[in-house]
Amino acid sequence: MGPLRGRSAELRRLLDALRAAADGQSSLAVVTGEPGIGKSALLAAAVEQAERHGFLVACASAQQTDNISPLSSLAPALRAGKEPLVDTAQFMELATLNTQPLWLAERLADLIGHRLDGTPAVIVLDDAQWSDPLTAFVLRVVAARLADSQLLWLVAARPSPGGVTDQLTDAVRGQVPIHAINLAPLAAEAIQDIAADLLNGPVDPSLAIQLAGVQGIPFLAEQLIDGLYLGTAPDTTGPLPTGLVEGVRRRTSGLSELSRTLVRTASVFGSEFRLEDVAVLMAEPVARLADPLEEAIQSGLLTDAGSVLRFRHELLRSAALADVPPSAQRALHGAIASQLMSAGRGAAAAAPHVLAVAQPGDASAIATLREAARGLLATMSTTAAEVIQEAFDLTLVDDPLRAEVGEEVVSILLAARQYDRAKAFADDLLSGSVLYRGPITPTLQATVRLHLAPYQWPTNRLDVRDLTVPGAEPPLSERLTAFRVLAGAEAPGTPEDPVARGVLLVAAAEEERAAGRYATALQYYVQARRVPAGLGSLPDALVEVGELYCRAEVDELPGGLERVRELLSGGDSWVAPQLAVLQARLEYASGNLAEAEQAANTGLRWMSQLHDSTLAPVAHQVLALIALQRGKLTHARELAGHDPTINALLAVADGDAKAAARLRDVPPDFPERTDVLVQADAEDLLAEQAAATPSTAHRGALELVAAGNDLERLAAATETLRTAHRPLLLAKAEELYGGAVLESGDRSTGIAALEHALDTLTTLGATAPAGRIQAVLQAAGVRRRRWSAVPPRAQEGWDALTPMERRVALLVAEGHTNRSAAEELVVSASTVGTHLRSAFGKLGVNSRVQLTRLVLERFTPPPNA
């Protein structure tokens, strides 16, 4: 390729990003600019440099027609070259995941990451403004996932606020560096240099004057040299430079009549087309168009891409189209739509041409668009949502069909996971607004509300007022009544409608689960999942999430965890965040701290990608509990926010013995509530829990707390917990039992129990309780060649304080003197002074006032509130 003129600064920024990628710094470069400004040329120059430096390069360019084919914009980049990013078998596997976009994106990230494996690469997508919705989603997920790869994402697009590039930038902001490059018109000298390069010689004065009229747009300069752009006056202020239209018109005037017809007909098809389609429309044999096609290619208007033909630039197509009268364009669009439908290419392919000619009230166009929307729904739900909206807009406001299409709009928007848009549309449809002037029947109201209700349930957005529709048909009325119960209303008698019965079973399950009666709730969930599905049925995947949660509470933790992992490898990706958070809870309950941490972080990432942070507080709770187990109190505090249970646990860890009483207020749905109640010594609450669901874990925890210092009862409780599949809780039991036995004088039994707990906790990575047990063993004179449970304590900051130093610091911050603190702790005042001086040094303060300020900043609310 020739030299890149006038873009040295922009190219230098891209080369810096390439060098950073080679050094392991992934980044995103977004090049924006108006059509013809030189985006593609800049990308080509960067690609040339990347290839020269040994980068793996994968390139693709989105097309206007990509919107009807999943992943069509990105697919050429994935499959390009002798050693593509994704081989044939892998690509076929991806195709089976089109209806599960999150799984597809995650799988693709794994494949690309494995393929690169230390190889620097650049993935290029030009004309990204035309990307299909699946490509746009995949880009956001994969770019974030591969933030640690030697990878530069290079994307070019026309300016489009809130479009593909803005969404991609928002998705990776804070994870990878972002290089935003907006291309301005070139300086006059650069335009003259481009002309000289094309002419392979100097530019004569008359041409130089003409070049001044291209307003710094390199594409127009090139077309001027090629004779496809005429005029010297500034004429680029409109949607299409008039000089370009005149230039193309002059160029095509020298073509044969058949070639001119081919170009004009093709311009109506779009930037990309098939020769056989144009031949059918022109009623000409394909063979007879070979020579006319060659003329068009030689004229500089078309290029042959193998399976398809393309205009060399979208502006050239627009210029050719401008020479087709509007009436002829309409007729051609209509003929193209009919041709594509009759050829079996599907309503989706015909939809853009139908829209180009459809008039309000056109029943045939509306039917075609509805068919297209239904056909696209399985693989391109976002596009389906736009198509069905177009169909609705074509129906007349007082046409009864408008209600039927409106209902379909709601259902397709929900299938595309656009709940807020669906809810707003439904409210307008049923409110008697200008959106619809036809009759709003009870059946219409009930049907629309039942479409919405299942999507409102998991996020607690059910509104009883919306679920009351007088005069609705019995099955619909019973279903609405069932949803009112799910929203908190009083339960009626047993309905005849099976869908209504299924919703009521879930409502009963939720009530039992909230009360801690997990065994009963489990039975209801299982029965609900056996009910046949229909309008208003709750999503089976979400019902199973509730079922699995209950299974974990009734001695089926291993099986429940295995099922969650199975669902995360191939279930419904739209409930992936709920599954990931459930996995985090079950992994934590199983003592798998590393796996729980990964699942919680994955859930948070998926919530961000799917724009649903409903379960973020639960994920943060699990992460905070893990941090507490690892003794990372500062990190736990960062995650805690205003969570009262986590803050109470932090206060206990900081040495505040009074805070244990606050643990009795732990909510019923808190992760591993049983463990917290054991720490609170809450025998009565544990008894209630064990009575509601007599599982091994609940029963063993109750026995443990009720035993007090009774060695036999402590031993029995510990044995009970050995079969509960909760190693953290078992280690706590062994710690209590071993400590009590050791204190009674039975050194060998006590040390054995404590060492077993220490080994378990060390293996699990729970360094905080392991460190506590290690201190007891060391105080008892136990010697080991290596104590590996606890990493070295921090040398400064709050985490550097010993438990006694923390307790002293908290008391002093509350206003205690050394003497009153000593009375509180039952030690001498001089001992308090020793601990206080040590705390001053580790915290970097030298006065009680500074210490108090630090504690108040750290604890909100104060630790003993």
Side-chain angles (χ1 to χ4, degrees):
M1 61 176 288
L4 184 69
R5 300 295 187 178
R7 302 295 187 197
S8 57
E10 293 88 345
L11 181 58
R12 187 161 50 248
R13 291 183 63 186
L14 294 182
L15 294 180
D16 288 343
L18 284 170
R19 281 189 285 270
D23 293 336
Q25 175 62 73
S26 176
S27 63
L28 166 67
V30 177
V31 179
T32 55
E34 298 298 334
I37 203 71
K39 301 184 294 295
S40 298
L42 179 61
L43 264 58
V47 165
E48 182 181 34
Q49 292 296 320
E51 290 175 335
R52 187 175 298 172
H53 288 85
F55 275 69
L56 185 155
V57 176
C59 296
S61 180
Q63 304 295 324
Q64 288 175 302
T65 55
D66 286 355
N67 218 33
I68 62 172
S69 301
L71 208 62
S72 55
S73 303
L74 189 60
L78 302 177
R79 301 289 296 124
K82 294 181 180 179
E83 298 182 7
L85 289 171
V86 177
D87 65 31
T88 301
Q90 293 166 340
F91 190 75
M92 295 302 293
E93 175 196 349
L94 291 176
T96 65
L97 298 175
N98 285 340
T99 59
Q100 300 292 340
L102 189 58
W103 294 158
L104 187 149
E106 290 286 332
R107 177 59 177 152
L108 184 56
D110 290 338
L111 291 173
I112 294 177
H114 180 73
R115 170 67 180 85
L116 297 182
D117 192 23
T119 301
V122 56
I123 298 179
V124 182
L125 180 60
D126 200 0
D127 283 326
Q129 73 276 357
W130 288 324
S131 297
D132 65 274
L134 186 56
T135 287
F137 178 80
V138 164
L139 283 174
R140 299 195 297 270
V141 175
V142 177
R145 270 284 311 275
L146 299 179
D148 296 328
S149 301
Q150 296 173 264
L151 179 58
L152 170 63
W153 297 88
L154 181 50
V155 180
R158 298 177 186 178
S160 177
V164 172
T165 53
D166 282 357
Q167 295 171 24
L168 176 57
T169 299
D170 290 342
V172 302
R173 183 175 283 112
Q175 301 181 67
V176 301
I178 299 170
H179 311 277
I181 301 174
N182 183 46
L183 298 186
L186 289 176
E189 294 80 3
I191 292 293
Q192 298 289 329
D193 289 340
I194 289 174
D197 293 335
L198 292 171
L199 296 169
N200 198 26
V203 177
D204 65 60
S206 63
L207 179 58
I209 293 173
Q210 289 182 297
L211 287 169
V214 304
Q215 293 190 336
I217 300 176
F219 172 78
L220 293 183
E222 294 170 3
Q223 304 316 306
L224 180 65
I225 301 299
D226 286 345
L228 287 170
Y229 178 72
L230 301 178
T232 60
D235 61 354
T236 59
T237 55
L240 189 65
T242 56
L244 186 62
V245 175
E246 292 299 325
V248 170
R249 183 175 295 159
R250 188 181 72 169
R251 178 61 61 87
T252 55
S253 67
L255 301 178
S256 66
E257 179 63 30
L258 200 55
S259 184
R260 287 198 301 273
T261 304
L262 186 154
V263 169
R264 292 169 183 167
T265 305
S267 70
V268 181
F269 267 97
S271 297
E272 184 177 274
F273 60 93
R274 297 181 184 183
L275 181 60
E276 54 268 36
D277 289 338
V278 175
V280 171
L281 202 62
M282 292 174 62
E284 296 283 356
V286 172
R288 189 161 184 264
L289 293 181
D291 289 339
L293 174 62
E294 183 60 27
E295 289 181 61
I297 292 173
Q298 291 301 319
S299 73
L301 294 173
L302 303 180
T303 61
D304 191 337
S307 60
V308 295
L309 295 163
R310 294 183 181 134
F311 280 85
R312 282 184 52 220
H313 197 280
E314 170 58 20
L315 288 175
L316 291 177
R317 182 191 80 90
S318 299
L321 183 63
D323 217 23
V324 181
S327 58
Q329 289 187 36
R330 288 182 53 80
L332 284 170
H333 277 302
I336 292 170
S338 298
Q339 175 186 321
L340 293 175
M341 291 287 288
S342 62
R345 300 274 285 281
H353 301 286
V354 170
L355 287 170
V357 299
Q359 296 293 316
D362 185 337
S364 176
I366 294 168
T368 299
L369 294 176
R370 292 178 71 184
E371 182 183 346
R374 289 191 289 266
L376 288 165
L377 186 57
T379 57
M380 297 286 283
S381 58
T382 303
T383 301
E386 301 308 317
V387 172
I388 195 63
Q389 182 71 62
E390 296 279 5
F392 178 82
D393 292 341
L394 285 174
T395 60
L396 301 177
V397 293
D398 56 352
D399 186 342
L401 179 65
R402 195 168 173 88
E404 183 180 323
V405 181
E407 178 199 333
E408 203 165 3
V409 171
V410 174
S411 67
I412 289 179
L413 284 173
L414 291 169
R417 295 315 195 265
Q418 298 183 31
Y419 170 80
D420 291 337
R421 184 177 165 190
K423 179 66 164 61
F425 180 90
D427 289 344
D428 284 344
L429 182 71
L430 301 179
S431 66
S433 69
V434 294
L435 195 66
Y436 174 54
R437 292 300 191 189
I440 302 173
T441 64
T443 297
L444 174 62
Q445 292 186 64
T447 301
V448 170
R449 293 305 177 193
L450 285 170
H451 278 300
L452 288 166
Y455 294 87
Q456 296 171 313
W457 159 59
T459 51
N460 300 315
R461 291 184 285 195
L462 285 169
D463 189 332
V464 174
R465 293 170 298 179
D466 290 338
L467 300 168
T468 303
V469 180
E473 299 172 5
L476 301 181
S477 180
E478 287 186 339
R479 296 178 195 186
L480 289 170
T481 300
F483 273 104
R484 291 200 296 274
V485 174
L486 193 58
E490 189 172 335
T494 304
E496 294 183 8
D497 180 71
V499 173
R501 288 200 301 273
V503 174
L504 285 176
L505 285 167
V506 172
E510 298 279 290
E511 183 178 354
E512 294 296 305
R513 175 177 164 181
R517 294 186 286 270
Y518 299 111
T520 307
L522 174 59
Q523 294 175 4
Y524 284 133
Y525 280 128
V526 171
Q527 292 176 45
R529 294 187 59 218
R530 293 173 180 164
V531 173
L535 174 65
S537 290
L538 294 170
D540 182 72
L542 286 177
V543 177
E544 187 173 10
V545 168
E547 176 190 326
L548 292 172
Y549 177 86
C550 293
R551 287 195 183 281
E553 294 289 338
V554 294
D555 292 338
E556 296 183 32
L557 176 57
L561 181 54
E562 182 180 354
R563 175 59 178 161
V564 172
R565 291 170 178 166
E566 179 184 335
L567 290 172
L568 279 168
S569 66
D572 186 352
S573 69
W574 291 109
V575 297
Q578 292 91 329
L579 288 168
V581 172
L582 178 58
Q583 181 190 8
R585 296 184 67 153
L586 302 191
E587 297 282 11
Y588 180 80
S590 302
N592 306 324
L593 302 188
E595 291 82 355
E597 180 179 39
Q598 181 180 8
N601 284 322
T602 298
L604 289 169
R605 176 163 55 83
W606 287 343
M607 288 180 221
S608 174
Q609 290 160 356
L610 297 177
H611 307 294
D612 180 4
S613 58
T614 307
L615 291 175
V618 183
H620 286 131
Q621 284 176 335
V622 175
L623 290 171
L625 289 170
I626 295 168
L628 281 165
Q629 291 287 351
R630 292 171 173 170
K632 298 180 178 179
L633 303 188
T634 299
H635 184 45
R637 197 172 307 282
E638 292 170 352
L639 293 162
H642 296 289
D643 189 296
T645 304
I646 298 295
N647 280 303
L649 289 167
L650 280 163
V652 171
D654 282 327
D656 183 1
K658 296 178 182 177
R662 287 159 40 203
L663 296 176
R664 292 177 55 87
D665 298 327
V666 59
D669 60 346
F670 189 84
E672 289 310 281
R673 178 174 184 259
T674 302
D675 292 19
V676 177
L677 291 177
V678 168
Q679 291 190 60
D681 210 22
E683 181 179 349
D684 55 336
L685 297 178
L686 284 167
E688 292 177 11
Q689 185 169 289
T693 300
S695 70
T696 303
H698 299 161
R699 188 174 69 253
L702 173 61
E703 293 173 3
L704 184 66
V705 172
N709 289 322
D710 187 311
L711 297 183
E712 290 187 4
R713 296 181 67 186
L714 282 173
T718 302
E719 289 305 311
T720 298
L721 289 171
R722 291 196 191 282
T723 59
H725 304 292
R726 282 172 163 77
L728 293 172
L729 183 57
L730 174 59
K732 179 67 176 178
E734 290 177 327
E735 178 186 1
L736 293 174
Y737 171 64
V741 172
L742 186 63
E743 190 173 329
S744 72
D746 187 346
R747 180 179 172 84
S748 61
T749 303
I751 288 176
L754 290 170
E755 286 190 322
H756 187 270
L758 175 61
D759 291 340
T760 297
L761 294 168
T762 301
T763 301
L764 297 176
T767 53
R772 187 174 61 238
I773 295 173
Q774 178 176 304
V776 172
L777 289 170
Q778 288 174 326
V782 176
R783 296 291 178 263
R784 282 189 172 189
R785 177 172 297 180
R786 177 179 299 171
W787 294 94
S788 58
V790 187
R793 186 182 297 277
Q795 298 301 305
E796 58 184 25
W798 191 261
D799 290 345
L801 303 186
T802 65
M804 182 59 79
E805 289 167 353
R806 290 191 196 120
R807 187 71 185 112
V808 168
L810 291 171
L811 290 171
V812 169
E814 290 172 5
H816 281 273
T817 64
N818 283 15
R819 185 173 299 280
S820 63
E823 292 174 356
E824 180 83 13
L825 297 171
V826 195
V827 296
S828 68
S830 62
T831 299
V832 169
T834 299
H835 288 305
L836 186 59
R837 285 191 296 275
S838 178
F840 276 9
K842 293 176 181 179
L843 296 175
V845 300
N846 51 30
S847 71
R848 290 173 181 263
V849 173
Q850 290 178 334
L851 174 64
T852 300
R853 185 180 299 115
L854 185 150
V855 170
L856 290 177
E857 289 174 354
R858 182 177 179 82
F859 294 94
T860 305
N864 286 329

